[in-house]
PDB file of all heavy atoms in Angstrom:
ATOM      1  N   LEU A 225      31.794   5.436  46.695  1.00  0.00           N
ATOM      2  CA  LEU A 225      30.600   6.378  46.792  1.00  0.00           C
ATOM      3  C   LEU A 225      29.296   5.586  46.818  1.00  0.00           C
ATOM      4  O   LEU A 225      28.398   5.935  47.537  1.00  0.00           O
ATOM      5  CB  LEU A 225      30.668   7.317  45.548  1.00  0.00           C
ATOM      6  CG  LEU A 225      31.786   8.324  45.554  1.00  0.00           C
ATOM      7  CD1 LEU A 225      31.917   8.979  44.169  1.00  0.00           C
ATOM      8  CD2 LEU A 225      31.469   9.432  46.622  1.00  0.00           C
ATOM      9  N   THR A 226      29.257   4.457  46.023  1.00  0.00           N
ATOM     10  CA  THR A 226      28.127   3.638  45.999  1.00  0.00           C
ATOM     11  C   THR A 226      27.837   3.054  47.419  1.00  0.00           C
ATOM     12  O   THR A 226      26.702   3.106  47.934  1.00  0.00           O
ATOM     13  CB  THR A 226      28.263   2.471  44.976  1.00  0.00           C
ATOM     14  OG1 THR A 226      28.578   3.100  43.710  1.00  0.00           O
ATOM     15  CG2 THR A 226      27.060   1.639  44.863  1.00  0.00           C
ATOM     16  N   LEU A 227      28.883   2.610  48.055  1.00  0.00           N
ATOM     17  CA  LEU A 227      28.712   1.964  49.362  1.00  0.00           C
ATOM     18  C   LEU A 227      28.391   3.124  50.441  1.00  0.00           C
ATOM     19  O   LEU A 227      27.541   2.915  51.316  1.00  0.00           O
ATOM     20  CB  LEU A 227      30.044   1.313  49.844  1.00  0.00           C
ATOM     21  CG  LEU A 227      29.933   0.415  51.070  1.00  0.00           C
ATOM     22  CD1 LEU A 227      28.917  -0.695  50.818  1.00  0.00           C
ATOM     23  CD2 LEU A 227      31.255  -0.187  51.358  1.00  0.00           C
ATOM     24  N   MET A 228      29.005   4.329  50.255  1.00  0.00           N
ATOM     25  CA  MET A 228      28.692   5.429  51.194  1.00  0.00           C
ATOM     26  C   MET A 228      27.198   5.774  51.020  1.00  0.00           C
ATOM     27  O   MET A 228      26.515   6.110  51.999  1.00  0.00           O
ATOM     28  CB  MET A 228      29.499   6.668  50.783  1.00  0.00           C
ATOM     29  CG  MET A 228      31.003   6.553  51.179  1.00  0.00           C
ATOM     30  SD  MET A 228      31.996   7.810  50.461  1.00  0.00           S
ATOM     31  CE  MET A 228      31.696   9.153  51.621  1.00  0.00           C
ATOM     32  N   ASN A 229      26.644   5.682  49.864  1.00  0.00           N
ATOM     33  CA  ASN A 229      25.165   5.911  49.655  1.00  0.00           C
ATOM     34  C   ASN A 229      24.378   4.833  50.296  1.00  0.00           C
ATOM     35  O   ASN A 229      23.408   5.130  51.060  1.00  0.00           O
ATOM     36  CB  ASN A 229      24.896   6.027  48.168  1.00  0.00           C
ATOM     37  CG  ASN A 229      23.476   6.162  47.799  1.00  0.00           C
ATOM     38  OD1 ASN A 229      22.927   5.314  47.170  1.00  0.00           O
ATOM     39  ND2 ASN A 229      22.814   7.211  48.325  1.00  0.00           N
ATOM     40  N   GLN A 230      24.812   3.600  50.194  1.00  0.00           N
ATOM     41  CA  GLN A 230      24.089   2.428  50.735  1.00  0.00           C
ATOM     42  C   GLN A 230      23.997   2.526  52.296  1.00  0.00           C
ATOM     43  O   GLN A 230      23.126   2.124  52.973  1.00  0.00           O
ATOM     44  CB  GLN A 230      24.638   1.129  50.300  1.00  0.00           C
ATOM     45  CG  GLN A 230      24.286   0.811  48.910  1.00  0.00           C
ATOM     46  CD  GLN A 230      25.149  -0.397  48.340  1.00  0.00           C
ATOM     47  OE1 GLN A 230      25.829  -1.082  49.052  1.00  0.00           O
ATOM     48  NE2 GLN A 230      25.049  -0.641  47.032  1.00  0.00           N
ATOM     49  N   ARG A 231      25.112   3.052  52.857  1.00  0.00           N
ATOM     50  CA  ARG A 231      25.333   3.151  54.318  1.00  0.00           C
ATOM     51  C   ARG A 231      24.778   4.477  54.869  1.00  0.00           C
ATOM     52  O   ARG A 231      24.928   4.837  56.030  1.00  0.00           O
ATOM     53  CB  ARG A 231      26.788   3.048  54.725  1.00  0.00           C
ATOM     54  CG  ARG A 231      27.434   1.732  54.364  1.00  0.00           C
ATOM     55  CD  ARG A 231      26.986   0.628  55.288  1.00  0.00           C
ATOM     56  NE  ARG A 231      27.814  -0.555  55.178  1.00  0.00           N
ATOM     57  CZ  ARG A 231      27.513  -1.541  54.298  1.00  0.00           C
ATOM     58  NH1 ARG A 231      26.425  -1.420  53.582  1.00  0.00           N
ATOM     59  NH2 ARG A 231      28.371  -2.559  54.264  1.00  0.00           N
ATOM     60  N   GLY A 232      24.158   5.244  54.007  1.00  0.00           N
ATOM     61  CA  GLY A 232      23.484   6.541  54.490  1.00  0.00           C
ATOM     62  C   GLY A 232      24.405   7.684  54.658  1.00  0.00           C
ATOM     63  O   GLY A 232      24.057   8.707  55.243  1.00  0.00           O
ATOM     64  N   ILE A 234      25.711   9.356  52.053  1.00  0.00           N
ATOM     65  CA  ILE A 234      25.274  10.298  50.969  1.00  0.00           C
ATOM     66  C   ILE A 234      23.772  10.066  50.826  1.00  0.00           C
ATOM     67  O   ILE A 234      23.376   8.953  50.414  1.00  0.00           O
ATOM     68  CB  ILE A 234      26.031  10.051  49.673  1.00  0.00           C
ATOM     69  CG1 ILE A 234      27.545  10.200  49.854  1.00  0.00           C
ATOM     70  CG2 ILE A 234      25.514  10.964  48.575  1.00  0.00           C
ATOM     71  CD1 ILE A 234      28.341   9.769  48.657  1.00  0.00           C
ATOM     72  N   VAL A 239      22.888   6.047  44.326  1.00  0.00           N
ATOM     73  CA  VAL A 239      24.207   6.070  43.660  1.00  0.00           C
ATOM     74  C   VAL A 239      24.550   4.648  43.193  1.00  0.00           C
ATOM     75  O   VAL A 239      24.435   3.648  44.007  1.00  0.00           O
ATOM     76  CB  VAL A 239      25.390   6.601  44.562  1.00  0.00           C
ATOM     77  CG1 VAL A 239      26.624   6.695  43.795  1.00  0.00           C
ATOM     78  CG2 VAL A 239      24.927   7.986  45.145  1.00  0.00           C
TER      79      VAL A 239
END
Side-chain angles (χ1 to χ4, degrees):
L225 291 165
T226 303
L227 195 60
M228 287 168 82
N229 174 241
Q230 286 168 9
R231 296 285 191 271
I234 301 171
V239 183

